[in-house]
Amino acid sequence: MNRAYIGLGSNLAEPQRQLREALAALDRIERTRLAGVSSFYASDPLGPSDQPRYLNAVAAIDTELEPVALLDALQAIEQTQGRQRKAERWGPRTLDLDILLFGEQRIDEPRLQVPHYHMQARAFVLYPLAELLPAGFRLPDGRRLAELLANCPFTGLERLEADA
Ligand code: ROI
């Protein structure tokens, strides 16, 4: 069993609903259980600014799947929720699910790099992730999460109060 952390993002088609449905879908993946969810955050788009703000969150899951099997399951959820891969780089999306961390593993395969390559620079990933991890947490490469946070200003980000 491995604990994995999944980044969720949406800026189309009712992002709140997209994230809620995605969380329910994570819990329905075979041999996988949802173990925790961060607050939801509104965030300014990284990339072209002529797109809506994003809603971002991070989920903790416990899974017996191998990393690539988990990736397949996440991509199936993205497809079910209407993700259309468009030509435009960094354009708007109904649902993005990224494997940020997978146990202590470091993975460098064509389809999958873990820890997620861009997470160190993205406030909308690091701040929700930090809600779910202990203060002294170190990534598999030894870097401290606190250090990444200190180098990543809380800019363009708004933590939303939980609603019922
Ligand atoms: N920008 C924000 N704020 N949140 C995201 O989840 C997000 N995802 C992306 C790009 C287009 C890079 N920008 C984003 O894939």
Side-chain angles (χ1 to χ4, degrees):
M1 183 77 88
N2 282 293
R3 169 67 53 94
Y5 293 87
I6 310 299
L8 299 89
S10 168
N11 72 341
L12 290 179
E14 300 179 60
Q16 286 268 359
R17 180 171 62 83
Q18 297 298 336
L19 262 54
R20 286 182 196 294
E21 289 185 8
L23 292 167
L26 288 177
D27 195 49
R28 288 194 302 265
I29 297 173
E30 58 167 344
R31 297 157 64 195
T32 299
R33 282 294 163 267
L34 186 64
V37 185
S38 73
S39 308
F40 286 8
Y41 290 76
S43 63
D44 292 341
L46 177 68
S49 57
D50 60 341
Q51 57 178 323
R53 291 188 96 198
Y54 279 78
L55 192 65
N56 286 109
V58 171
I61 60 174
D62 289 320
T63 186
E64 294 177 350
L65 296 179
E66 295 301 318
V68 169
L70 177 63
L71 180 63
D72 287 337
L74 298 181
Q75 291 185 346
I77 295 169
E78 290 178 341
Q79 296 305 319
T80 301
Q81 292 190 214
R83 171 88 183 265
Q84 299 187 355
R85 289 191 179 262
K86 295 241 177 69
E88 189 196 356
R89 187 166 182 255
W90 286 9
R93 61 243 1 251
T94 48
L95 181 64
D96 226 356
L97 297 174
D98 292 325
I99 302 176
L100 305 173
L101 298 170
F102 192 97
E104 306 274 291
Q105 294 188 32
R106 300 170 75 170
I107 302 165
D108 190 2
E109 295 176 10
R111 281 186 67 201
L112 185 61
Q113 296 84 43
V114 178
H116 191 269
Y117 189 67
H118 295 298
M119 63 183 272
Q120 60 181 46
R122 294 186 170 176
F124 61 81
V125 174
L126 290 179
Y127 286 90
L129 178 63
E131 291 183 12
L132 302 175
L133 290 168
F137 183 82
R138 284 178 186 273
L139 277 67
D141 62 9
R143 286 178 301 168
R144 291 178 58 243
L145 181 65
E147 215 170 286
L148 300 184
L149 286 164
N151 288 307
C152 189
F154 190 91
T155 305
L157 203 58
E158 183 187 345
R159 191 170 79 86
L160 305 177
E161 296 303 325
D163 57 7

